[in-house]
């Protein structure tokens, strides 16, 4: 007979963050709903003691991609709910929480594949650099594993309600003031910023019930230490996003 952990043992489970994320995404609005949709998003995983030893990461340079287990630290709730409303279904259909990738989960755990950009020492801290991610600033990283292409990729896998990536991507137009503000920013401090903004706003980060609408409302997304202000325009059947300012 297999032994099952007692309730007290399960309750005693504790997790220590391996790293804390320093991300280009400073809050939830604008963060892609899955990794891989924002190719130009970059982050540093600041490794915490006692895990900040190079030998613990020996060989990681051979992995092009990594699995990250993390906590949705801004989605922790006192009580969990068995059903959620996935944005992919327009926010008006319910699915079981375990049939979704909603951040509102019993243990608030997330799982993402990210691109490995290498290990470095920065101001004395051990840092693992990543890109192509969906993590907001401050996200605790609970585990790091290499992505194994032969085992982790399942080409025939299906999910009936979300089988394909989002294909509709709006045209993004930078108004003159935004273009000038981007031109004055140092690329080493804001790598691939213009492309990052296009990725973030082009997929329409608004809540599901607002998508596809033309609004007078001006939205803002915090990328790095910048506030990107933009609006959605639907004129003559041409949908686009206008980036107003980047400052």
């Amino acid at each position: 007979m297999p032994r099952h952990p007692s309730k007290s043992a399960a309750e005693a489970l504790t997790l220590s963050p391996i790293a804390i994320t320093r991300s280009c995404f400073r809050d939830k609005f604008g963060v892609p709903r899955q990794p891989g949709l924002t190719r130009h998003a970059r982050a540093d995983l600041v490794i915490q003691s006692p895990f900040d030893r190079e030998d613990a990461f020996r060989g990681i340079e051979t992995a092009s991609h990594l699995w990250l287990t993390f906590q949705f630290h801004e989605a922790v709730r006192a009580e969990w709910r068995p059903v959620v409303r996935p944005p992919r279904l327009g926010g008006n259909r319910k699915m079981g929480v375990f049939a979704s990738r909603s951040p509102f989960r019993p243990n608030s755990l997330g799982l993402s594949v990210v691109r490995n950009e290498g290990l470095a020492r920065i101001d004395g801290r051990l840092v693992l650099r990543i890109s192509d991610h969906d993590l907001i600033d401050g996200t605790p990283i609970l585990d790091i594993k290499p992505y194994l292409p032969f085992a982790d990729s399942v080409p025939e896998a299906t999910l009936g309600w979300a089988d394909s990536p989002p294909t509709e991507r709006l045209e993004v137009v930078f108004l003159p003031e935004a273009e000038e503000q981007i031109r004055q920013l140092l690329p080493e401090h804001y790598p691939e910023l213009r492309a990052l903004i296009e990725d973030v706003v082009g997929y329409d980060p608004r809540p599901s019930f607002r998508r596809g609408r033309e609004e007078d409302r001006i939205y803002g997304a915090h990328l790095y230490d910048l506030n990107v202000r933009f609006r959605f325009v639907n004129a003559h059947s041409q949908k686009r996003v206008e980036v107003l300012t980047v400052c």
Side-chain angles (χ1 to χ4, degrees):
M1 294 284 293
R3 295 184 62 187
H4 297 284
S6 66
K7 183 177 180 181
S8 60
E11 289 176 342
L13 178 66
T14 59
L15 298 173
S16 299
I18 292 170
I20 300 298
T21 306
R22 294 292 170 254
S23 172
C24 60
F25 301 118
R26 295 305 169 93
D27 52 36
K28 290 183 288 186
F29 183 67
V31 177
R33 290 181 171 86
Q34 303 294 338
L37 296 179
T38 310
R39 299 161 297 162
H40 307 281
R42 295 179 177 270
D44 287 345
L45 307 184
V46 183
I47 311 302
Q48 305 296 289
S49 178
F51 313 109
D52 55 340
R53 298 170 49 171
E54 278 86 350
D55 57 354
F57 295 87
R58 185 183 304 166
I60 202 168
E61 69 279 359
T62 65
S64 67
H65 290 75
L66 303 167
W67 283 111
L68 302 181
T69 304
F70 60 92
Q71 183 191 43
F72 290 107
H73 65 297
E74 292 195 0
V76 176
R77 293 179 172 179
E79 297 181 358
W80 71 281
R81 295 181 181 179
V83 295
V84 294
R85 299 175 185 267
R88 186 66 180 270
L89 297 178
N92 52 18
R93 284 181 55 192
K94 293 182 179 180
M95 298 289 290
V97 66
F98 299 123
S100 80
R101 292 166 67 120
S102 168
F104 302 106
R105 319 185 66 79
N107 291 308
S108 304
L109 296 182
L111 183 68
S112 287
V113 175
V114 301
R115 182 176 293 276
N116 177 15
E117 299 289 353
L119 202 64
R121 281 278 176 188
I122 301 176
D123 296 328
R125 302 297 300 271
L126 188 63
V127 171
L128 181 61
R129 316 203 93 165
I130 63 169
S131 64
D132 217 358
H133 69 90
D134 59 346
L135 307 173
I136 67 172
D137 197 60
T139 296
I141 305 300
L142 302 175
D143 202 7
I144 301 169
K145 293 185 177 75
Y147 179 91
L148 299 180
F150 72 88
D152 296 338
S153 177
V154 185
E156 67 272 23
T158 61
L159 178 60
W161 57 272
D163 252 356
S164 58
T167 55
E168 184 179 10
R169 179 165 167 153
L170 300 175
E171 176 189 8
V172 180
V173 176
F174 290 78
L175 298 191
E177 185 176 359
E179 289 279 19
E180 177 60 21
Q181 289 169 333
I182 290 176
R183 190 186 66 81
Q184 294 181 16
L185 295 171
L186 296 175
E188 57 267 32
H189 293 166
Y190 307 96
E192 302 177 294
L193 178 62
R194 196 180 197 279
L196 173 62
I197 294 172
E198 290 177 343
D199 283 347
V200 168
V201 305
Y203 282 117
D204 195 343
R206 291 178 293 179
S208 300
F209 68 91
R210 292 187 180 274
R211 287 186 169 187
R213 299 181 182 182
E214 179 178 5
E215 302 177 294
D216 292 331
R217 182 174 179 175
I218 294 175
Y219 288 86
H222 288 96
L223 302 178
Y224 297 105
D225 57 350
L226 303 170
N227 184 20
V228 180
R229 298 172 68 247
F230 55 96
R231 66 188 173 201
F232 295 87
V233 178
N234 188 356
H236 309 294
S237 300
Q238 295 293 318
K239 297 180 181 179
R240 67 179 186 271
V241 189
E242 292 182 344
V243 180
L244 307 176
T245 59
V246 180
C247 56

